[in-house]
Amino acid sequence: MIESVITYLESIDPILAALYATLFTWLVTALGASFVFLFKKMNKNVMDGMLGFTGGVMVAASVWSLLIPAIDMSEGTGFAQVVPAVVGFLIGAAFLFSIDKVLPHLHINFKKVEGVKTPWQKTTLMILAITLHNIPEGLAVGVLFASVAAGIPEATIAGAVILAIGIGLQNFPEGIAVAMPLRRMGMSRRKSFFYGQASAIVEPIAGVLGAMAVVTFTPILPYALAFAAGAMIFVVVEEVIPEAQQNKNSDIATIGFIGGFILMMTLDVALG
């Protein structure tokens, strides 16, 4: 089935392919959010394991799907070859750092609101926190699809599809992580589901914009791939891992991280 999907995506416009792939990642988020119709709360151990898994997938995707291709497609040798990846990575991390300091948001397991002071409700702030996670994920998928269209030998549709699958896998617990707390706070199941899935709607937008930027100006490609990697690693270190550790289930979160990393690495190397 994956082969059929790859063949189809190879035959269409890369921007449209990026849209389809990021719509898939959004739908997986919606699937996770739909668990709110079955349960009112999720076991903390399970949730921490899922958050760890999310971090593992994001780190592995950043290395194998983004940073390594960015370095391979850069010109020069030695230090010169790695410069675009370093610059893009730093800019991506700085971009997320800046948004993190400005955009008001509240992480699931934390009580302190981050960003500028605001009278917004806690539910809005929680949704914004997950939305912040999803910007680099959508961007990464879009940029990788566009790199194939640019004729970069190191980039393949198969690799882009595997990245989308990996991001979809880690979006599943993110959908749960938004919808369940909202339900516990007294929101109806329908509203909890709506806001849970809506947190990932930014991914198709970021995916299309990323693809359009690279198709329009191909020389930015190594920088764009590394930018997405830097943004994703920032999210993992600054938000995902600390959230997974809040309930003092560090062993479960660590095992989840290792499992997510191994799964994404295996998919990328074996199928990409």
Side-chain angles (χ1 to χ4, degrees):
M1 181 177 177
I2 293 180
E3 289 80 4
S4 300
V5 171
I6 292 172
T7 300
Y8 172 71
L9 293 177
E10 286 176 336
S11 67
I12 63 176
D13 182 84
I15 296 175
L16 185 59
L19 174 61
Y20 288 161
T22 47
L23 283 174
F24 162 76
T25 62
W26 165 65
L27 285 172
V28 179
T29 307
L31 180 62
S34 70
F35 269 50
V36 78
F37 293 109
L38 303 175
F39 310 100
K40 188 171 183 178
K41 61 181 181 179
M42 181 65 71
N43 182 280
K44 289 183 178 180
N45 291 343
V46 173
M47 199 66 244
D48 289 340
M50 286 184 172
L51 285 172
F53 177 86
T54 292
V57 169
M58 292 176 73
V59 170
S62 297
V63 175
W64 269 271
S65 298
L66 301 173
L67 282 176
I68 291 177
I71 294 170
D72 288 342
M73 66 182 62
S74 299
E75 297 180 356
T77 58
F79 287 110
Q81 187 178 15
V82 80
V83 166
V86 171
V87 172
F89 190 91
L90 288 173
I91 294 174
F95 174 72
L96 258 290
F97 176 82
S98 301
I99 293 180
D100 189 69
K101 295 303 178 184
V102 175
L103 182 69
H105 60 284
L106 175 66
H107 299 295
I108 299 160
N109 293 322
F110 292 82
K111 296 181 179 179
K112 185 179 178 181
V113 176
E114 297 185 17
V116 299
K117 292 184 178 180
T118 176
W120 294 349
Q121 294 182 345
K122 182 184 286 188
T123 53
T124 302
L125 296 172
M126 289 175 62
I127 294 165
L128 284 174
I130 299 296
T131 301
L132 187 63
H133 291 190
N134 291 326
I135 293 174
E137 295 166 9
L139 183 65
V141 175
V143 168
L144 205 53
F145 272 102
S147 66
V148 179
I152 305 300
E154 295 81 5
T156 65
I157 289 291
V161 169
I162 295 305
L163 177 62
I165 291 173
I167 289 176
L169 287 173
Q170 61 92 32
N171 273 3
F172 180 77
E174 285 191 357
I176 297 174
V178 178
M180 289 296 184
L182 296 179
R183 178 60 180 155
R184 286 201 307 270
M185 291 163 58
M187 188 173 287
S188 69
R189 284 187 171 88
R190 287 187 178 182
K191 282 189 175 181
S192 298
F193 167 76
F194 175 78
Y195 289 120
Q197 60 81 31
S199 66
I201 198 64
V202 70
E203 287 193 5
I205 297 171
V208 169
L209 290 177
M212 290 176 63
V214 171
V215 168
T216 303
F217 191 56
T218 304
I220 70 169
L221 182 53
Y223 298 92
L225 287 170
F227 177 96
M232 288 175 68
I233 293 295
F234 177 88
V235 168
V236 172
V237 176
E238 203 273 339
E239 298 173 3
V240 176
I241 292 177
E243 285 184 31
Q245 301 285 336
Q246 278 297 297
N247 293 318
K248 304 187 185 304
N249 293 322
S250 59
D251 290 343
I252 295 173
T254 301
I255 292 170
F257 182 96
I258 293 172
F261 188 96
I262 290 174
L263 177 61
M264 187 63 204
M265 176 180 66
T266 302
L267 287 174
D268 192 274
V269 175
L271 302 177

